[in-house]
Amino acid sequence: MKLWGGRFEKDTAKLMDDFHSSIGFDARLYKEDIRGSIAHARMLGRTGIIAAAEAQAIIDGLSGILADIESGSVTFMADAEDIHMNIETLLTARIGEAGKMLHTGRSRNDQVALDLRMYAKSSIVSVQKALYGLCGLLLALADKHKAHCMPGYTHLQKAQPITLGHHFMAYFQMFLRDMDRFSDCYRRTDVMPLGSGALAATTYPLDREMVAKELGFSEITQNSLDGVSDRDFCIEFAACAAICMMHLSRFCEEIILWSTSEFAFAALDDAYSTGSSIMPQKKNPDVAELVRGKTGRVFGDLMGLLTVMKGLPLAYNKDMQEDKEAFFDARDTLLGCLGIFVPMLETLQFDTERMEEGALLGYTNATDLADYLVVKGLPFRDAHAVSGSLVLAASREGRGLSDYTLQELKAYSPLFEADVYDAISLEACVSHRNVTGGPAPDAVARSIQEGKKRLEKFRPEE
Ligand code: ARG
């Protein structure tokens, strides 16, 4: 008989069991479920709602079940519906009558909300740890390449020279913001819902604070209807994950471009690329492509969660069982992607000479040429026109701007003098962009220092 079988005259159809069972995907919550139940039972015993001996029997029984699950000796039953009823059924089979007291003052509605919040909290910690590693790697790469010049792009057209270190620090900022976003999400997830009951709390004098404290929650929920029906924390997690995946995906897109023979700025390590079954010369950036592709899945998880929740009346509805697969998928996908992205980036080889060459070609110093004339007294708009006509001529003739003799330059503007060559050298173009947030090697070094300080706030415990 089902745990809820009292008001039923016959058993559910097999088809029904298969359709509504969630054990196939919520079994992974077993640890949280057992920890939550132990805290609930201990509180029931301490408050005298059940006898101390019964509470202890429950706690011992649950600890034994946890050990058995971890050793692989437990097979969950599909007709026990979900992880919560599977564990309660196992408990009663193991310790008898006392097991039937565990669910006093509790509903699966607040139980599942608790389990999911606990799981989300530890997921955030894992994501933060992975992001911390990625940010550390970016700082190291930025430091190594702070003086290596490369072309910066807008519209994927060469724009102005920057440094490779500066490029890495741009991604560092994105992932640092992601960590900050996950921290905010953690704060709102860290709220204990047990005591909300099915929807209308409970008649038992539960000590909710005691349970929160034992389980390491900072607060308890303030409304029972909201306590059982809030899934904002899952949605927020998926939103944070979606933004983080979007950042990873942009990075991957660049790695894919950089590894083409057209760019040839970077070469993937053999360990993180694949070949073609027909074209012997191929070396494909599968990791970067898969991460880019999986970004779509995580966006889908976010949309799925929002859509499941959008029309639900208060309080719990079974629709909400659909939260788990999307939330778990967003979590697993993000952790999986971060897990492989880091070693892929760590082993990526950068062709810094080729990057510098790329910055030298393509007139990335045309703005600096205009700025030179501005310093000599020409209004910027006129200087822009002079530099533009020089670029037009130079590109027709296949020359660089520094290939022009002073005499030739003077035909475009009498303000040109011999110091123009230094002013438009790649080194000058980059080192003069030294404001905070700029690509100059000095500015990058300062931003690395500042970045280290900010990252410290997220150093994982232990
Ligand atoms: N498996 C359910 C879920 O994930 C647990 C809560 C069930 N509550 C209920 N009243 N049927 O949402």
Side-chain angles (χ1 to χ4, degrees), residues 70-148:
E70 307 225 289
S71 74
S73 63
V74 171
T75 316
F76 294 122
M77 302 156 291
D79 66 347
E81 217 176 298
D82 54 26
I83 187 64
H84 325 293
M85 295 209 295
N86 262 279
I87 288 174
E88 196 184 322
T89 306
L90 287 168
L91 179 69
T92 304
R94 185 175 291 228
I95 67 168
E97 287 303 296
K100 297 184 190 165
M101 294 178 179
L102 168 62
H103 215 48
T104 313
R106 189 176 71 168
S107 156
R108 270 186 300 151
N109 297 351
D110 56 356
Q111 188 179 357
V112 72
L114 174 74
D115 294 2
L116 214 47
R117 281 179 183 270
M118 288 168 73
Y119 192 81
K121 282 173 65 181
S122 74
S123 301
I124 293 171
V125 171
S126 306
V127 169
Q128 299 272 37
K129 211 182 254 181
L131 281 171
Y132 184 85
L134 174 55
C135 284
L137 172 61
L138 287 168
L139 286 175
L141 285 170
D143 191 49
K144 179 169 174 200
H145 297 291
K146 59 178 177 286
H148 289 137

Side-chain angles (χ1 to χ4, degrees), residues 390-403:
L390 253 163
V391 168
L392 179 65
S395 56
R396 279 191 184 137
E397 295 163 19
R399 301 164 77 186
L401 296 178
S402 338
D403 299 338

Side-chain angles (χ1 to χ4, degrees), residues 22 26 81-82 84 108-109 112 316 318 320-321 324:
S22 54
D26 66 16
E81 217 176 298
D82 54 26
H84 325 293
R108 270 186 300 151
N109 297 351
V112 72
Y316 178 83
K318 188 75 172 236
M320 289 161 69
Q321 181 166 287
K324 278 162 222 63

